Amino acid sequence: MTTTLDTGPKSPADAGRRGSHALRWWVLAVLGIAQLMVVLDATIVNIALPAAQADLGFGDGDRQWVITGYALAFGSLLLLGGRLSDLFGRRNTFIVGLVGFAVASAVGGAATSFEMLVAARVGQGVFGALLAPAALSLLTVTFTEPKERAKAFGIFGAVAGTGGAIGLLLGGVLTEWASWRWAMYVNLIFAAVALVGAVLLLAKHVATSRPKLDWTGTVAVTVALFSIVYGFSHAESNGWSDPATLAFLIGGAVLLAAFVWIETKVAHPLLPLRIVADRTRGASYMTVFIMGIGMFAIFLFLTYYMQLTLAYTPIVTGLAFLPMVAGMVVSSTTAPSLLLPKVGPKVVISGGFLVAAAGMLWLTQIGLDSGYVTHILPALVLLGLGLGGAMSVAFQGSTAGVQHEDAGVASAMVNTSQQVGGSIGTALLSTIAASAMTDYVSAHQPGPLTMAQGAIESYTTSFWWATATFVLGAIVIGVLMPNTVPAPAEGEPVLAH
């Protein structure tokens, strides 16, 4: 546990503890850099993809695999990555994840073919699945004193929430001013800084027992998550009635049910069901899942609207998202420390969803010649304020009360929820948007204006559905989440001496 210190050290031991205490915030900086690298990688490549396609000469049909390859590896291996960090040490897993992610990024930046680029993206997903749970679990067991914990999770939540928008800006800058390859190479800088900090600050893992891994459950859940993520990705391009789409989605659901049954029978489960059975943690995972569905509409369709309809450059598009980033930073760093102790997590998260829904509702009013200040800026501020507060509190609740041996897999559930939610959002909203455009175009006189207005119809329809998603999220959390401040996780020594 973190010790509350007086104004001055009374002994050399007190002074030592004060120094160790100060290093905790450097650990937070290291973990934040690693988390930012993983999160922004989900969007930074989107902006660079057209340039990469032109350079490497692959077709539109292949393009989705640059995105899907990362999502499949990352989403299907997260629970395994989280459990490995519990078994073999968070420092070890964190460092391996950092080095592997950097190597995969270097390969991607140097790619000379489509196959090489996709392989690199899969590698990023594999090592990201080690890195992301290790980072959050290290944060969980480092900050256990309530006030410090609220502040640390607020900062970490701000990084996680704004990473996607920062990726859009950074991707635009690097692609426009340097090369699409720097959208991959930039990870080497992040990884190098985080690696130096991890080696200097984090304590080495001391094994007290022989690690045991639930291989049956691991295989079942990995294949299940792969099938679900792939099924939704396949639905986006091939439709919901496609036999392969149905086979993967139904197969994934069956395997997921089998995984739950396996976890009740084995001695050393990959995901102890006590982690998700707790109402605070379960509702927190649900928060991140629903947020993953709705946030897709913000980044994808609003990016399309600004670039294709309003003719913004990639850099201007990235800059346009900064008010949302600012809103997230403000709410993420204030909600856990100021609002959570006074009104409880149920009110903060449900209220955050409703504020975000108001922002999304604002976006449904966009048109062919809408102004940024009147139609986009207010919506982005509301979305940032609402989602930032909800996300930071959900991050804190997701590891509430876990013992340190479960912190890694509890943290992995956060990323898994977000990844699966994002995959569902991608498929659902893309399909809905495409149908809305087809219906509009078929009902109106063919021509350029009809096509342009059809695109607007597709965007606003997706924003209406995302609004409903956030309202549903507020209701679900209002029912599921107990309104008590989450208890901290059990801490352990994580600082190097």
Side-chain angles (χ1 to χ4, degrees), residues 140-435:
T140 297
V141 297
T142 301
F143 293 92
T144 55
E145 194 274 329
K147 288 185 178 179
E148 279 192 354
R149 179 180 172 85
K151 185 176 181 181
F153 270 87
I155 295 170
F156 195 81
V159 171
T162 61
I166 293 172
L168 292 172
L169 174 58
L170 192 57
V173 169
L174 292 173
T175 302
E176 204 165 311
W177 289 355
S179 162
W180 69 267
R181 297 181 183 276
W182 274 98
M184 305 288 281
Y185 287 143
V186 70
N187 291 326
L188 299 175
I189 301 172
F190 288 116
V193 174
L195 181 61
V196 171
V199 171
L200 293 177
L201 295 173
L202 299 178
K204 293 182 178 179
H205 176 68
V206 179
T208 56
S209 60
R210 181 182 178 86
K212 295 181 176 64
L213 191 61
D214 166 25
W215 286 109
T216 306
T218 297
V219 172
V221 76
T222 299
V223 177
L225 291 174
F226 179 93
S227 298
I228 290 170
V229 173
Y230 181 80
F232 278 107
S233 299
H234 197 266
E236 181 188 359
S237 55
N238 295 80
W240 295 99
S241 59
D242 182 78
T245 299
L246 294 173
F248 276 102
L249 289 177
I250 294 171
V254 170
L255 280 171
L256 204 56
F259 168 71
V260 173
W261 180 80
I262 291 168
E263 299 308 275
T264 65
K265 302 298 181 182
V266 296
H268 303 281
L270 176 70
L271 176 64
L273 296 184
R274 61 179 178 271
I275 292 176
V276 293
D278 178 86
R279 284 183 63 194
T280 297
R281 292 194 293 268
S284 297
Y285 300 140
M286 183 61 68
T287 297
V288 178
F289 172 76
I290 295 171
M291 204 174 291
I293 296 175
M295 282 185 70
F296 169 78
I298 307 169
F299 290 130
L300 185 74
F301 293 112
L302 196 52
T303 298
Y304 284 167
Y305 173 66
M306 288 192 282
Q307 290 193 8
L308 301 180
T309 302
L310 301 182
Y312 289 3
T313 65
I315 293 178
V316 172
T317 301
L319 290 171
F321 277 101
L322 287 183
M324 180 179 172
V325 173
M328 278 192 162
V329 170
V330 169
S331 60
S332 292
T333 52
T334 55
S337 55
L338 296 181
L339 294 178
L340 181 60
K342 295 179 181 178
V343 299
K346 177 186 294 191
V347 176
V348 176
I349 294 177
S350 293
F353 269 131
L354 291 177
V355 172
M360 196 65 81
L361 185 64
W362 199 301
L363 285 177
T364 63
Q365 305 307 306
I366 60 170
L368 286 174
D369 55 354
S370 297
Y372 176 78
V373 173
T374 55
H375 285 79
I376 300 176
L377 176 61
L380 287 177
V381 172
L382 288 171
L383 284 161
L385 290 173
L387 296 179
M391 179 174 287
S392 58
V393 172
F395 269 45
Q396 184 168 337
S398 65
T399 55
V402 297
Q403 298 186 359
H404 73 266
E405 63 266 22
D406 290 333
V409 73
S411 302
M413 272 299 297
V414 179
N415 294 280
T416 302
S417 301
Q418 187 175 37
Q419 187 67 33
V420 174
S423 298
I424 291 174
T426 301
L428 281 177
L429 295 177
S430 292
T431 304
I432 289 168
S435 298

